[in-house]
Amino acid sequence: MRSLKARRVLASFPGFGLVAFRRNNNTDTTSTPFSFSFRRQSNSPTTSKQKKLYDLEVYISRSRSPYFNLSYEDYLFTRFPAYTSYSASSTQLSKKVLFLYTNYRSVIIGRNQNPWRETNVQSLRRHNVPLIRRKSGGGTVFHDEGNVNYSVMMPGNSFDRDEHALLLCTALNSVFKQRAEETVLSVNERHDIVDQNARKVSGSAYKLQRGKAYHHGTMLLNSRLETLSKLLHHSVDSGLEVVEGPGVQSVRSPVSNIGISNELFINTAIAAFKSEYMTGSDNAFKARYVDEDSITKEEEQEVNKSIDELQSWEWTFGSTPKFVHRFLLRDSTPAVSFTVKEGTILDLESNLPEFTEYKDSIIGSPYRGADVASRIDSELWKQRLIGAI
């Protein structure tokens, strides 16, 4: 059996099949209405005789709304069956879902991240870019119509952080070779897809629940990277703010586009999944297109509940883990610090009369710029806090 490192290296060369280098302990099976089967190849004489069947469902969103797409993704995962065991002799098929979507310009933070540390909140508001906290972990990403997001749902005991990223690398590298392009993709130790210059073109996040899991990522195709830099330029980078707390911090990486169209990426991804998880004799495949107008009444009800949550201040900002937000003067002298938990100010420390006189009224208020500004008299600090918070 080849090492994980060997699998990553070989995936970067067109013509090398991913299945030849996959771990042999993924013995789970999957089920869906679309009945597609495949046999994974293995060096093990025992597992090579076992036919693992997957029913593959593919969904493609026509919507560009990040609220709809993230909510529909959550709906699909909620309805995904929880597989608690696997028997090689079982006739039950297990399911694998591929969901592809593109969002209009937006910034998406991970479930356990701090928006004041990860983004430039003031810039987001100025450019009218929505900030959304997703249900999965991982770091902060920028979405626009120059990238395509992919989400893969699977049984929990067949979860592999690299499997689908490696599959996409192999498929895309074949495209680049056919087009006589120099781009070569691989998966690094952080499970990101990177090009031959180690620039990240796709980051990943994961969610695991009992008996099921999903992996989703965003593929940079022709994204506006200069906008990405401005919106993900953290507010604290100015040196006038410090955010301290336990929330997950994003790892900054150089990024790049791979320069193919959305349509080509979507077609390549679907073809790769069909080839990997279906038999050649299976002709029942079809993809379902979804948007706000085409989903069922049941889907609409559940999706709208999720959209309401994603759009709420309580979810986006109010569910941030406890942290301390310090503001400094131009000479780096501490001015004021707020201790915040679940969107509420627990404590305030300052030697400035602009804040000490109003401390009692500030503590217990929501940590929103307008709320804090309404409790002080200083116009200078009102404007600064409204912009930063």
Side-chain angles (χ1 to χ4, degrees):
M1 183 182 299
R2 297 182 185 269
S3 68
L4 176 59
K5 183 176 181 180
R7 292 166 57 210
R8 287 176 172 145
V9 171
L10 288 168
S12 67
F13 292 92
F16 282 89
L18 173 62
V19 293
F21 314 115
R22 189 161 304 140
R23 296 187 182 96
N24 297 328
N25 60 351
N26 290 339
T27 54
D28 220 33
T29 51
T30 39
S31 120
T32 91
F34 300 122
S35 298
F36 310 115
S37 61
F38 76 97
R39 183 188 299 276
R40 296 194 194 201
Q41 299 175 2
S42 169
N43 294 329
S44 166
T46 300
T47 56
S48 64
K49 296 179 182 178
Q50 296 177 351
K51 188 172 184 178
K52 303 174 183 178
L53 302 176
Y54 278 81
D55 275 347
L56 177 65
E57 292 182 9
V58 176
Y59 298 83
I60 304 170
S61 177
R62 291 192 177 103
S63 174
R64 292 294 180 262
S65 166
Y67 296 106
F68 173 84
N69 287 326
L70 290 172
S71 295
Y72 195 78
E73 177 185 58
D74 188 57
Y75 171 83
L76 289 175
F77 188 61
T78 300
R79 296 299 183 274
F80 194 90
Y83 299 91
T84 56
S85 63
Y86 168 72
S87 170
S89 61
S90 173
T91 59
Q92 179 188 12
L93 302 180
S94 54
K95 175 157 58 173
K96 189 178 287 278
V97 167
L98 172 64
F99 178 42
L100 297 158
Y101 59 94
T102 297
N103 291 329
Y104 57 66
R105 191 171 58 166
S106 51
V107 170
I108 317 297
I109 62 174
R111 173 67 182 88
N112 299 306
Q113 290 198 291
N114 187 316
W116 290 282
R117 180 160 55 193
E118 297 299 325
T119 72
N120 189 321
V121 175
Q122 186 171 8
S123 182
L124 289 172
R125 290 178 181 142
R126 184 168 59 250
H127 293 94
N128 197 29
V129 176
L131 173 65
I132 306 170
R133 184 186 298 274
R134 63 175 179 267
K135 300 293 181 69
S136 64
T140 300
V141 293
F142 171 71
H143 289 178
D144 67 4
E145 294 184 275
N147 65 49
V148 174
N149 305 287
Y150 57 91
S151 178
V152 188
M153 302 170 195
M154 69 214 80
N157 51 5
S158 67
F159 173 72
D160 184 321
R161 290 182 184 273
D162 291 310
E163 176 179 346
H164 306 103
L166 287 167
L167 178 61
L168 290 173
C169 283
T170 302
L172 290 169
N173 285 335
S174 294
V175 171
F176 299 136
K177 183 177 182 181
Q178 292 167 8
R179 291 157 59 105
E181 296 180 4
E182 297 180 354
T183 303
V184 179
L185 304 181
S186 59
V187 180
N188 67 14
E189 297 298 325
R190 293 189 54 80
H191 315 290
D192 297 323
I193 297 178
V194 296
D195 66 10
Q196 69 276 13
N197 297 312
R199 296 173 300 187
K200 184 163 72 172
V201 301
S202 177
S204 293
Y206 312 90
K207 184 173 182 177
L208 287 80
Q209 288 185 354
R210 179 176 172 80
K212 57 184 177 179
Y214 73 70
H215 159 212
H216 56 184
T218 179
M219 183 66 70
L220 294 171
L221 305 177
N222 296 285
S223 186
R224 298 180 61 179
L225 300 182
E226 71 283 358
T227 303
L228 180 155
S229 177
K230 293 177 182 177
L231 298 178
L232 300 190
H233 175 80
H234 309 175
S235 299
V236 297
D237 289 347
S238 65
L240 297 177
E241 297 177 38
V242 177
V243 176
E244 301 171 348
V248 174
Q249 295 189 52
S250 299
V251 177
R252 295 195 187 189
S253 304
V255 296
S256 181
N257 289 309
I258 62 174
I260 65 175
S261 68
N262 292 24
E263 182 181 12
L264 178 55
F265 173 76
I266 290 172
N267 290 339
T268 301
I270 293 175
F273 273 74
K274 287 172 63 178
S275 175
E276 182 74 5
Y277 301 121
M278 295 169 57
T279 62
S281 60
D282 225 325
N283 297 316
F285 176 82
K286 65 177 181 178
R288 179 186 171 193
Y289 290 85
V290 297
D291 59 23
E292 293 88 340
D293 298 323
S294 65
I295 57 176
T296 67
K297 290 295 184 182
E298 177 194 354
E299 290 174 327
E300 182 180 11
Q301 184 177 10
E302 295 302 316
V303 167
N304 285 341
K305 287 181 182 178
S306 178
I307 290 175
D308 288 342
E309 180 180 35
L310 293 182
Q311 290 180 329
S312 70
W313 182 91
E314 288 74 16
W315 170 256
T316 304
F317 293 96
S319 57
T320 304
K322 184 178 179 180
F323 68 99
V324 176
H325 196 169
R326 304 183 192 281
F327 291 83
L328 309 177
L329 301 177
R330 292 290 178 184
D331 61 0
S332 298
T333 302
V336 61
S337 66
F338 300 94
T339 300
V340 183
K341 182 179 180 181
E342 297 178 352
T344 300
I345 300 174
L346 300 183
D347 195 14
L348 178 155
E349 294 183 5
S350 178
N351 292 321
L352 301 179
E354 292 94 325
F355 293 101
T356 56
E357 293 181 12
Y358 307 101
K359 180 175 180 178
D360 290 343
S361 65
I362 294 173
I363 292 176
S365 65
Y367 195 56
R368 290 187 286 237
D371 284 274
V372 179
S374 68
R375 290 167 167 79
I376 61 176
D377 288 333
S378 169
E379 289 299 325
L380 178 64
W381 277 104
K382 281 177 182 286
Q383 295 304 312
R384 183 172 174 184
L385 294 177
I386 288 175
I389 304 175

